Structure formats: C-alpha cells, structure tokens
Amino acid sequence: MSQQTASPVEIQMNGPDIQQMLDTSVLTTRADKFIAWGRKNSLWPLPFGTACCGIEFMSVVGPRYDVARFGAEVVRFSPRQSDFLLVAGTITEKMGPILKLIYEQMLEPKWVLAMGACASSGGFYRAYHVMQGADKIIPVDVYVPGCPPTPEAVIDGIMKIQELIASGRRRPVQR
Amino acid sequence: MAFDISVLQKDLSEKVGAKLEFTRAFGDDVVSFPKEKLLPMMTHLKERHGFQFMLDICGVDYPNRAKRFDFVYHLYAPSSKGRLRLKTQVGETETIESLTPVYRGANWFEREAFDMFGIRFAGHPNLRKILTHDDFVGHPLRKDYPADRQQHTDRVQPIWFEPSQGSDSHPDKSLVPINIGPSHPATHGTLRIMGELDGEIVKRLNVEIGYLHRCFEKMAETHFYNQIIPYTDRLNYCSAPMNNVGFCKTVERMMGVDIPPKAKAMRIVLSELSRVIDHLVCIGTNCVDLGALTIFWYIFEQRERVYTMFEKLCGARLTVALTRVGGMAYDNPSGWEQECLETVKGIRKCIDELDQLLTENKIFIKRTLGVGKISAEDAIDFGFTGPCLRASGVNLDLRKAQPYYGYDQLDFDVPIGTNGDLYDRYLVRMEEMRQSLKIIEQVCKNMPAGDYTIRDKNIVLPEKKDVWGNIEGLMNHFMLVIKGIRPPVGEIYDSTEAANGELGFYLVSDGGPRPYRLKVRPPCFAIYQAFPYMMQGQYVADVIATLGSLNIVAGELDR
Ligand code: SF4
C-alpha cells in the first residue's frame, strides 16, 4: 500500500459538499479514525521482558519516565488482555516457541515493538543459543535500537506505534 | 587456623595415596588427581579439612589430547579460608563419578557440564540437559562446535519432575498441575516453575532454566579480553558494575597488575552502589509479589538516582562497562564524589522510610516470618553464598574473609540472620544496604588523587589526545587493538563478593588474546537449585514470595 500524506478524511472534509460525502463512505472512515485515536491512547502492553532490557523497561513504567503519560501503563501479562507486545530482551532458541505462542494468543489488532539490539537482531550475541531477532518468528512493527535503549528511546518507539495506529498503515514487514 | 597446604598435602597423600600432584598457579593451590579417587578424596577433604563449600565444577576441552577433558572442582573451607582447585582428566568416552553424594550442590553443575561438554557422570540422580533446549544436538562448549551455529526448536517441554521426587516424572492425575513462567509476572525473568498442588499445598515442585542461555562462555572464547567486559555487564544486569570488577580483577591478578588507588576506590564505590540498587530492586519486586506495590514506586526513584550517577561517569545507565583491565575506563567528572554523597543521603532516607513501612508491618511479617526457610547446613551443602547464606546465620562475606581493594581498612559490619527465612533475608539486605552506604561515604570523602588507570602500553589504550596527537600514541593504540591483551599461559580462579554472593571467574589462558576458557561461577545458580527442595510442602503463595527473596537473576543464572 502506498503511503498517503494527508488522510482521505481530511481532504474530503475540506471539500464543498459534505452532506454528499457523508452519504457515501465518510462515516466509516471517521469511525476508523476515531477508534484508532482511542486505541493509540490506551495501549495495553504485554512486557515480554527476558533480560537486561526488561529491567530498563521497569524504568519506563517507573515514576521518572512514567509511560502512563502515553496511555500505556496498564501492563497485562495475559496475552488475551493486551494488544501491544513489547519484546524486551534477548530471545533464545529455547524461548522462541513460547514467544510465538504468546503472540498467537493475542487478539487482533495487535502491535509488536522490539526493544533493544537483542530483540531486533540478536544484538552482540551471535551465538549458538540466541535467536537472531524476534522477527525470525513473529512480525515486528517498530524496532528500537540500543543496548539497552534509554527509556526515552522506548517511549519514542511507543509513539511510533501510536503513529502507526493512527495512520492505519500496515506493518512494514509481513510474514 | 590458617590454611596450610603442606599439612594437607601430607595428609591427603597418606589417606588417598596414589599419584596426587600438587602445584601452584598464580597463587592458587591446585591438586591433580586420577579420576577414580574423586569420591574418597572429596569426602576426606570435606570431613577432615573443612572444605564445606563446593563452589564450582566445570570442564575444559583440549581436543588434541588423549584424554580430552579437564575436569575442575573449586572448593572452599571457611574455617581456614583455604581454597583448593582439584583437576582430573577424563577421556571423551569415559565416565566420571558424580559428586552429588558428597555435595548436593554438585547436581546442577554436573548437569551443566554434561550439557556443555557431554561428560557423563556415573550415579548422577538426573543427568539431563539444563541450559540448551531439548532439540539441541551436540555440546556447544566443545572446541569443535562453532560459536554461531544455531539450532531451532518448536517444542516446549511438558511439566516434568526429578526422579528423586517420585517414580512418575509426570504430574499426578489426582492433583492439580501448575506451570508458572517462563513469561510470568511473578518470576521476574525467564524462570519456569512446574508444580503439583494438593489444594494450596505444593506436593512437588521443579524448575526449568536455560531460557536466557546467551552463551556467555562461548562468546568469551571468541572475543578479546576487553571486549568481554560488556558481556559481563549482562550477567547480573541489576548490578552490572560488580561483574565488570570481578572479571577485570581476575585478569589483572593473572597478569600481575596492581591497579592505582583511585581505581580501587572507584571500584569499591561502584560495587557498593550496585549492591544497594540490586538489593533495592530485590526488595521492591519482592514486595510487589506480596501485594505491596507502593514500595516499588518509592524504590525506583532511588534507583534512577544511582543510574544518573552511572550516566555521569560513562553515558550509560544499566550496562555500563566501566572498568578496563588495568583500571577504570574514564576519570570521574569533577564534583562526582560530592554528588554521590548527596545521593547516598537520599537513599538512606528512602531506606529509613522503607524500614518504617515494612519492618514492623503486621501483614508483611505474617507473609514473611518463617516462610521459605533454609538451614545453615543445607544452605552450605547447596553452595549458597551472599545474603541468602548470611540470613541462615553463616558469617561469610568475601569482603571480610579475603579483603580486596582495601575493604579491610573500611569500617563496616556484616549483618547475619538467624532463621534463614524470608524475613531474615529482608533484614540482612536492609542492613547490608546501610553498611554499603557507609562504605561509599568513607571512600567518597577520601577519594585518592592520581591516575585512574595504569599506563602500560601493552594493556591500556592510550588517551585519545595521544592517539590523535602523536605517532607513538597512534601506534600503541593500533597494536593493542590488533593484538589484544595477552595474559600469560596458565589458569586462575578469582572471586568477589557480588550482590548475590560469590561471583567467581575461572580463566584459562593459552597466552593468546582471547581466553581459552572462561567459566563464571554464578551465585544464584547454586541458590536456585535448592528452591524445589525448599518449597516442598509449602503454600503456593509462599513459592512466589520465596522466589523473589532469593533474587534469582536470569542473566546470571543461565549466562
Ligand atoms: S539489547 Fe542489550 S540490554 Fe537489551 S537484552 Fe540485549 S544485551 Fe541486554
């Protein structure tokens, strides 16, 4: 899908004949947008914290960085209750099937953020028991580099996810 | 009674007879023995010479030798402060007797050696893989296994129990099976607990580890010495600087390097700051397990302050890699010590508040007093060290027992518990934090002047101004980066008192720029294997509480 700069809704709303457009498809699009607005501001993350990045994620949730400001503080450890998987830390080969199982149990729509070098690519563990990135088994929407990324970077990543939700764009890689 | 190797040598040769060979390596006492003598010798050492602690067992692979593997045991006698390394050779197809009848703590260490090298142990109660997954073929720490050959799996093991826990390794149909983790909020990491419940009571419990096995030891064999320092950060990532210190201290001792006073002082300050935040995180998350979320928020603010202090030193918060072989990576910015003192004040206030909130809190006491007990004998037998051991009433702290970096000149106490329960572990950690703060204050007020690292061109990189400013600096930089640090041929074991206990590094060097073998002795590995035993017949809610109080850090556990 090509990227559109301005959303179709706004273009049409600025047009002359609003009533006519309301009769066509405008309302559904608006509803989408409205829902997306709600979704992006009430993400329920599932922190799949396995290693050092998981510790740094605690800081993201903790009092100083306070991810509540972005509406994503209700961390859920049940995949059924969350729509945002935060892979924070190294995924080993042994952990692989478990991560996959968790992702599959999450309900659509869902988004995935890979926090840190390990979750993005295996990091500096080019090793016999380390999976070379979470995207080897599940799709990933946003990659946050760093080892570990600073909490600011993670929050930036969460904002990218919010943009993604708002724009309705699909994830860059489909598997 | 001080440790005297000659007495031991005479006695052992008489008792065990046959072909014992006594040598010294960089100040460590080493005994080589034929493998048939293992059990009688260990029993004798334990019973007659006070070697109560079996600290570590590991293998070393020499593929071109007739008997391929070296098998290495590290023992410690707290009464005489003696340390002993025992070595034997085992061929690829041979078996060696299991040490579990003498030291219960040998169990997991032997399983690890089996997993990593394929060495078989006769009489081991449950010889199965421990770190790698079940579809993994081969033994990764053998020299002929390539470091980057991954193997995938799609399977998750169903719940299983040890043979010693009953003849059926599957859960009993009439009881409730329970599986916690490896991704579960109550485990704070990638730990998996499998249990069988009768109502609320745990009938059997077992644990599965290895979900965070990141191949630290293989990575160490494929990287230069200074490149390993960032990997050590990620062992116990709650107190990363302590791992840096432990590793660098080992290499430095091997190379005969004495680091400048300022570096020593800085290492103490960093270690103690790390100890404080490690304990804070332990207590904070443990309280979350008990349902007291407030404590967690309080504590994290203090942790952030310590991170800010780290950030000022090196720019990183969590994984700092602050030391180098030969000293520190950077000098302190001016005024850092002063800020550190301010931070200490803040933390002390927080700890006092915590104290008021928890120590006499009825609910807290009810949840912790008498829960998750382990006796001193059991703790020693399993190889406990650190706060968990001290809570059981054993006075062992390496900062006092074998002081390094001038800990003996500082004024601090080592708190000891009596019951070995959750409450005592909490009290010990609280007091340890206070003592650590006291240490930090003493050192920061008298920070030695002078250089922060040695200036040996074969060990430490020149400063950037020299690299860019003159040809000699450039050349030295180039040579060291290309050639790496090269410790002499030999082997060494060195240890420090980390937040969870004795953190040991056993290093074998072949004179090259990379370690031939680097084995970490992770404190929580020994502690965690006692967990199923401790939880037998307890309430399932106490399982979670106890787990938190043991402070198992997966990075260090699985490496
Ligand atoms: S990216 Fe770095 S900090 Fe994060 S889990 Fe991997 S090693 Fe740890």
Side-chain angles (χ1 to χ4, degrees):
Chain A
M1 177 176 164
S2 67
Q3 291 186 8
Q4 289 164 329
T5 39
S7 78
V9 183
E10 275 159 10
I11 295 166
Q12 287 165 0
M13 288 305 286
N14 293 337
D17 200 347
I18 291 171
Q19 191 54 49
Q20 189 199 334
M21 269 173 268
L22 277 176
D23 291 336
T24 57
S25 63
V26 176
L27 257 179
T28 33
T29 336
R30 277 195 61 87
D32 278 1
K33 213 176 174 188
F34 181 68
I35 292 168
W37 171 79
R39 274 192 183 132
K40 84 176 185 60
N41 291 313
S42 62
L43 282 168
W44 287 28
L46 187 155
F48 192 79
T50 59
C52 357
C53 276
I55 302 292
E56 200 62 343
F57 181 72
M58 287 191 203
S59 289
V60 179
V61 186
R64 188 173 292 184
Y65 292 97
D66 194 13
V67 75
R69 295 175 296 152
F70 301 85
E73 82 280 23
V74 190
V75 287
R76 285 295 123 131
F77 290 91
S78 161
R80 292 289 186 194
Q81 296 176 354
S82 51
D83 55 0
F84 176 35
L85 180 61
L86 238 146
V87 186
T90 319
I91 303 300
T92 60
E93 296 289 356
K94 197 170 184 172
M95 200 54 147
I98 290 150
L99 177 61
K100 194 166 176 204
L101 196 68
I102 288 183
Y103 176 76
E104 280 166 0
Q105 287 181 73
M106 288 168 63
L107 304 179
E108 294 282 358
K110 53 190 170 189
W111 295 271
V112 182
L113 181 140
M115 171 177 176
C118 284
S120 303
S121 68
F124 73 169
Y125 291 101
R126 198 148 136 208
Y128 58 84
H129 202 247
V130 176
M131 191 168 278
Q132 303 299 295
D135 56 7
K136 290 267 177 294
I137 42 164
I138 59 167
V140 173
D141 295 297
V142 171
Y143 301 81
V144 181
C147 185
T150 53
E152 290 91 338
V154 179
I155 289 175
D156 192 37
I158 293 176
M159 287 163 71
K160 284 272 179 306
I161 293 269
Q162 291 184 324
E163 277 171 31
L164 203 67
I165 298 172
S167 72
R169 245 181 292 146
R170 290 198 292 166
R171 47 174 57 117
V173 186
Q174 287 288 342
R175 273 174 199 272
Chain B
M1 179 188 75
F3 180 64
D4 187 349
I5 185 74
S6 56
V7 176
L8 185 114
Q9 184 166 357
K10 194 158 156 283
D11 183 53
L12 256 194
S13 305
E14 272 169 25
K15 278 281 159 14
V16 187
K19 298 188 221 141
L20 297 186
E21 201 185 301
F22 287 76
T23 44
R24 273 176 82 76
F26 301 103
D28 298 351
D29 289 307
V30 187
V31 186
S32 306
F33 65 99
K35 74 181 176 64
E36 296 74 34
K37 296 288 179 199
L38 175 72
L39 285 186
M41 191 176 69
M42 292 295 193
T43 317
H44 186 72
L45 283 173
K46 185 181 180 186
E47 283 167 6
R48 287 300 154 81
H49 294 276
F51 282 94
Q52 291 172 301
F53 284 89
M54 204 292 304
L55 288 176
D56 191 33
I57 302 180
C58 73
V60 187
D61 184 19
Y62 298 95
N64 300 324
R65 218 170 55 181
K67 290 196 164 199
R68 180 167 178 173
F69 302 111
D70 252 2
F71 223 62
V72 189
Y73 301 82
H74 285 99
L75 301 187
Y76 177 62
S79 52
S80 61
K81 295 184 184 159
R83 279 181 187 274
L84 211 52
R85 169 153 72 248
L86 298 117
K87 286 174 61 172
T88 189
Q89 297 192 356
V90 187
E92 196 171 346
T93 50
E94 292 177 345
T95 56
I96 181 167
E97 214 114 17
S98 166
L99 197 55
T100 41
V102 190
Y103 298 99
R104 252 188 298 178
N107 187 333
W108 277 18
F109 287 98
E110 290 181 345
R111 273 178 70 190
E112 185 188 332
F114 166 69
D115 194 358
M116 295 291 128
F117 293 96
I119 304 172
R120 300 195 168 270
F121 296 87
H124 189 282
N126 179 32
L127 198 61
R128 60 185 280 165
K129 282 160 167 288
I130 186 164
L131 294 179
T132 58
H133 59 76
D134 285 277
D135 291 331
F136 197 93
V137 183
H139 303 286
L141 279 187
R142 288 190 178 187
K143 288 284 172 191
D144 47 20
Y145 193 96
D148 57 355
R149 188 205 287 161
Q150 288 117 17
Q151 303 185 27
H152 303 286
T153 183
D154 298 323
R155 286 194 302 148
V156 183
Q157 274 293 315
I159 295 178
W160 61 275
F161 296 103
E162 299 234 359
S164 62
Q165 295 176 307
S167 55
D168 190 4
S169 68
H170 302 294
D172 187 336
K173 289 268 183 316
S174 63
L175 300 172
V176 182
I178 181 169
N179 179 74
I180 305 175
S183 169
H184 191 277
T187 59
H188 316 302
T190 56
L191 313 171
R192 181 180 179 202
I193 302 170
M194 304 165 288
E196 193 181 70
L197 305 182
D198 183 2
E200 287 285 300
I201 305 284
V202 175
K203 281 284 166 198
R204 291 195 284 181
L205 192 97
N206 198 11
V207 290
E208 165 98 38
I209 68 169
Y211 290 102
L212 194 58
H213 177 50
R214 300 191 276 192
C215 330
F216 171 80
E217 286 162 19
K218 194 77 174 181
M219 290 291 99
E221 288 172 20
T222 51
H223 285 79
F224 283 10
Y225 282 91
N226 269 331
Q227 289 177 324
I228 297 170
I229 296 170
Y231 284 97
T232 61
D233 270 328
R234 287 143 182 91
L235 291 170
N236 182 348
Y237 33 70
C238 292
S239 50
M242 285 175 140
N243 309 316
N244 301 160
V245 172
F247 173 70
C248 286
K249 180 164 170 275
T250 311
V251 182
E252 281 153 8
R253 213 184 104 203
M254 192 169 211
M255 302 184 76
V257 169
D258 189 26
I259 59 170
K262 179 152 191 194
K264 288 183 185 165
M266 274 311 290
R267 285 187 184 185
I268 291 185
V269 174
L270 289 173
S271 298
E272 297 309 322
L273 278 175
S274 318
R275 195 185 312 279
V276 171
I277 53 172
D278 195 289
H279 287 358
L280 275 180
V281 172
C282 173
I283 293 176
T285 48
N286 204 184
C287 286
V288 175
D289 299 336
L290 298 174
L293 193 62
T294 325
I295 312 287
F296 180 82
W297 302 127
Y298 260 129
I299 281 175
F300 262 64
E301 184 50 31
Q302 300 309 319
R303 201 186 70 143
E304 289 294 337
R305 295 182 76 168
V306 175
Y307 278 173
T308 309
M309 297 307 296
F310 289 168
E311 217 172 349
K312 288 197 171 142
L313 283 176
C314 67
R317 290 156 43 88
L318 184 74
T319 45
V320 288
L322 261 169
T323 67
R324 294 288 181 273
V325 177
M328 304 300 295
Y330 317 98
D331 205 354
N332 312 344
S334 66
W336 190 85
E337 293 86 356
Q338 207 47 46
E339 265 178 76
C340 200
L341 290 172
E342 290 299 313
T343 312
V344 164
K345 260 190 220 149
I347 300 177
R348 180 167 288 131
K349 187 158 160 277
C350 166
I351 294 176
D352 288 342
E353 272 173 359
L354 258 188
D355 200 8
Q356 287 165 9
L357 276 169
L358 288 175
T359 310
E360 286 175 26
N361 181 321
K362 266 191 212 151
I363 305 171
F364 184 72
I365 292 177
K366 277 219 163 115
R367 284 299 310 269
T368 56
L369 199 67
V371 171
K373 259 189 173 177
I374 187 155
S375 70
E377 295 77 51
D378 281 339
I380 291 174
D381 206 19
F382 277 113
F384 274 45
T385 45
C388 292
L389 176 72
R390 292 191 282 272
S392 294
V394 182
N395 185 358
L396 176 63
D397 187 324
L398 296 186
R399 292 175 296 171
K400 292 276 188 197
Q402 49 174 51
Y404 47 95
Y405 295 155
Y407 268 114
D408 45 347
Q409 276 135 43
L410 296 168
D411 171 30
F412 70 102
D413 296 316
V414 177
I416 309 288
T418 45
N419 297 322
D421 60 2
L422 231 140
Y423 191 59
D424 276 16
R425 287 198 274 276
Y426 157 78
L427 289 180
V428 164
R429 286 211 173 86
M430 287 292 273
E431 189 53 37
E432 259 181 35
M433 286 193 284
R434 292 202 167 107
Q435 297 297 330
S436 291
L437 295 180
K438 205 164 134 189
I439 295 175
I440 299 169
E441 280 175 340
Q442 291 171 51
V443 180
C444 275
K445 279 182 189 149
N446 301 301
M447 185 61 75
D451 214 345
Y452 59 94
T453 170
I454 57 164
R455 295 287 172 194
D456 183 333
K457 69 177 168 44
N458 293 320
I459 300 177
V460 179
L461 289 175
E463 284 194 65
K464 278 284 177 279
K465 69 171 172 30
D466 293 325
V467 181
W468 289 326
N470 61 59
I471 188 71
E472 200 194 334
L474 184 66
M475 262 163 54
N476 289 342
H477 186 276
F478 178 79
M479 288 312 281
L480 191 57
V481 169
I482 296 295
K483 282 179 62 193
I485 299 171
R486 291 171 187 248
V489 181
E491 48 174 61
I492 194 168
Y493 176 87
D494 206 1
S495 52
T496 49
E497 181 74 30
N500 271 336
E502 170 161 344
L503 175 72
F505 287 92
Y506 171 58
L507 171 64
V508 182
S509 160
D510 59 356
R514 304 175 185 89
Y516 186 77
R517 170 93 169 95
L518 179 68
K519 170 75 171 67
V520 191
R521 192 254 169 212
C524 49
F525 192 71
I527 294 174
Y528 196 40
Q529 63 177 326
F531 186 60
Y533 166 78
M534 288 164 73
M535 290 339 289
Q536 197 90 33
Q538 307 290 316
Y539 285 112
V540 64
D542 291 345
V543 170
I544 303 302
T546 309
L547 178 66
S549 78
L550 295 177
N551 197 20
I552 308 297
V553 180
E556 180 182 88
L557 178 77
D558 296 342
R559 286 151 287 144

